[in-house]
């Protein structure tokens, strides 16, 4: 093969407590679409942030056309012909399409005013190139997600980018919009642009990529031509087996005749999931397995009342309930530890103690006054039993490590005296030691008779911690595994088999 356009050599990155990248080396060639896949937390985004100058390169080397380069900031990266399209986008809502594309480059030459006519005409041409015949004076805030993405791509084109990185570009697009995206990716490829395509969706990788690299736990596991890999092979590389991870065994298993504390029948949310039925027993950990984006979080959000259900029934302790808001759920002793604890679970600028009492302020309020003493007592208690490492209960949560933040979220929900806990990615982004402590807590909770729904993209964790596993794909339940049958192979074959049935031509 020719000389790579871009070579990464032994790239490493360590965050406090997390080795996010560990000696990653990948070559990218001219005009190739190179897929990067891996589970949540594999290090894909971190790698791309290093490439695009968001993080400073600390370990390893980057070569462009065989020349070692220094990328210190996003401008360096752009000047080297690289553009990254982040999931969150980098656009300014209050400005027009044209202004965003040419942001920072609208110079007045010799006191002359900006030639808006020309700027707008160029922006219009670029937008047409990416498939949208649209007025370039429209404001970003009035665009759809797909249109915003195309503005980002148009911007990349305006920089004559030779390498375009797309981080999970299809996550929020409709099927039709994905088709347009692929059309653009193909035309970029024809122009000799190299596209780095990060995705969880293997169907897309098989459709659009020439080669694919799999990452896991900060390591590059494999890079292969798309014709040489199978879906199963990629998934095996993605999932792997973590030998060093310890999962504490549980003393007792839930009895077969343990009462059913939560039951879902035929839940449906239009276009998101349907036909979702499951039963959760007392003292049980019920795992939900699936690829990221399979709809597990959405299902649980709806069960919890954070989103609306279009159809279906929920029963708690055998009685039908109508849960319309998270408050209704809390009243029924349900708790939901969200995936994104930073955004939904915790008030980062607020103290450990207030975060713990937050979901149950009523319990420490008398005649409308908060009993601070009681609040402190409760906090001290939980900090002790959950072994939260914090200098004091007055510490603001933002200063705690990820694992300790997670324990505060757990404390908060335990204080609501919940019986059923939904844990969504409870160990994501926390270090191995804190993970083990969370596993012990899970065991302790079910031993005490609480029931847990566990969503995790960490397959070994999910398999080891669950008594039973529901396999979810594409908003549907594909099967259920119990006891000895809970294996990665079985989970994957349920996903694969049904997937092929549904999409025979893929
Ligand atoms: P991916 O994009 O493959 O899901 P990331 O690159 O986002 O993975 O994350 C890799 C690892 O680094 C994860 O364990 C994640 O929790 C951690 N991580 C990512 N960004 C940060 C950060 N800013 N601070 C601390 N840890 C981080
Ligand atoms: Mg990512």
């Amino acid at each position: 093969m020719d000389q790579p356009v871009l070579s990464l050599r032994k790239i490493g990155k360590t965050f406090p407590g997390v080795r996010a990248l560990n000696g990653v080396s990948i070559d990218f060639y001219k005009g190739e679409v190179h897929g990067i896949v891996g589970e949540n937390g594999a290090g894909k985004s971190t790698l791309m942030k290093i490439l695009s100058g968001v993080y400073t390169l600390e370990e390893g080397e980057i070569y462009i056309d065989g020349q070692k380069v220094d990328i210190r900031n996003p401008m360096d990266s752009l000047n080297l012909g690289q553009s990254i399209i982040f999931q969150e986008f980098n656009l300014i809502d209050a400005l027009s399409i044209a202004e965003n594309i040419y942001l920072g480059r609208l110079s007045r030459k010799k006191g002359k005013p900006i030639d808006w006519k020309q700027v707008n005409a160029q922006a219009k041409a670029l937008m047409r190139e990416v498939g949208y015949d649209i007025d370039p004076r429209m404001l970003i805030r009035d665009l759809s997600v797909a249109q915003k993405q195309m503005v980002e791509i148009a911007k990349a084109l305006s920089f004559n980018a030779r390498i375009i990185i797309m981080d999970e570009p299809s996550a929020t697009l409709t099927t039709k919009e994905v088709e347009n995206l692929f059309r653009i990716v193909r035309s970029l490829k024809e122009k000799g642009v190299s596209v780095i395509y990060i995705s969880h969706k293997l169907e897309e990788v098989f459709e659009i990529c020439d080669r694919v690299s799999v990452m896991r736990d900060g390591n590059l596991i494999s890079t292969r031509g798309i014709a040489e890999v199978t879906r199963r092979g990629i998934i095996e590389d993605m999932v792997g087996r973590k030998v060093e991870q310890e999962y504490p065994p549980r003393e007792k298993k839930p009895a077969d005749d343990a009462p059913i504390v939560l039951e879902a029948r035929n839940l449906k949310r239009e276009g998101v999931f349907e036909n979702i039925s499951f039963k959760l027993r007392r003292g049980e950990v019920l795992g939900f397995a699936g690829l990221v984006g399979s709809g597990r979080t959405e299902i649980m959000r709806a069960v919890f009342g954070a989103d609306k259900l279009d159809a279906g029934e929920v029963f708690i302790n055998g009685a039908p309930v109508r849960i319309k808001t998270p408050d209704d759920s809390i009243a029924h002793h349900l708790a939901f530890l969200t995936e994104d604890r930073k955004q939904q679970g915790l008030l980062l600028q607020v103290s450990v103690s207030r975060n713990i009492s937050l979901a149950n302020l009523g319990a420490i309020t008398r005649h409308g006054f908060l009993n601070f003493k009681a609040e402190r007592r409760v906090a001290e208690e939980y900090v002790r039993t959950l072994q939260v490492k914090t200098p004091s209960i007055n510490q603001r949560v933002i200063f705690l490590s990820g694992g300790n933040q997670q324990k505060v979220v757990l404390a908060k929900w335990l204080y609501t005296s919940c019986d059923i806990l939904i844990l969504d990615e409870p160990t994501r982004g926390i270090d191995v030691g804190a993970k083990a402590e969370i596993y012990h807590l899970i065991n302790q909770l079910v031993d005490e008779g609480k029931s847990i729904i566990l969503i995790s993209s960490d397959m070994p964790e999910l398999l080891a911690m669950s008594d039973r596993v529901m396999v979810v794909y594409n908003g549907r339940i594909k099967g259920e595994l119990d006891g000895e049958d809970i294996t990665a192979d079985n989970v994957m074959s349920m996903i694969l088999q049904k997937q092929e049935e549904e999409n025979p031509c893929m």
Side-chain angles (χ1 to χ4, degrees), residues 412-425:
K412 161 179 145 178
W413 286 115
L414 291 176
Y415 182 51
T416 63
S417 66
C418 56
D419 296 323
I420 299 167
L421 287 96
I422 304 169
L423 310 181
D424 194 356
E425 306 283 358

Side-chain angles (χ1 to χ4, degrees), residues 70-129:
D70 233 1
I71 300 175
R72 291 165 191 280
N73 53 51
M75 214 53 210
D76 285 350
S77 180
L78 270 174
N79 289 334
L80 288 165
Q82 304 189 116
S83 281
I84 183 160
I85 292 147
F86 289 109
Q87 248 180 303
E88 315 91 65
F89 303 132
N90 255 329
L91 301 171
I92 298 173
D93 267 354
L95 296 183
S96 73
I97 295 175
E99 285 168 315
N100 267 280
I101 292 177
Y102 291 103
L103 199 68
R105 293 183 286 167
L106 293 168
S107 59
R108 299 160 183 256
K109 284 188 198 95
K110 291 180 192 134
K112 272 200 223 150
I114 294 167
D115 184 353
W116 282 109
K117 222 173 179 173
Q118 197 203 339
V119 168
N120 285 331
Q122 283 171 350
K124 190 169 173 70
L126 284 167
M127 285 308 287
R128 214 179 256 151
E129 230 179 299

Side-chain angles (χ1 to χ4, degrees), residues 44-45 167-168:
K44 308 176 297 290
S45 295
D167 195 353
E168 311 236 1

Side-chain angles (χ1 to χ4, degrees), residues 353-354 356-378 415:
S353 62
R354 181 56 49 85
I356 292 177
S357 54
L358 207 62
N360 196 13
L361 284 176
I364 44 169
T365 305
R366 288 289 171 270
H367 312 298
F369 291 99
L370 194 65
N371 181 342
F372 291 101
K373 220 168 163 181
E375 183 180 51
R376 278 198 300 277
R377 193 160 15 84
V378 167
Y415 182 51

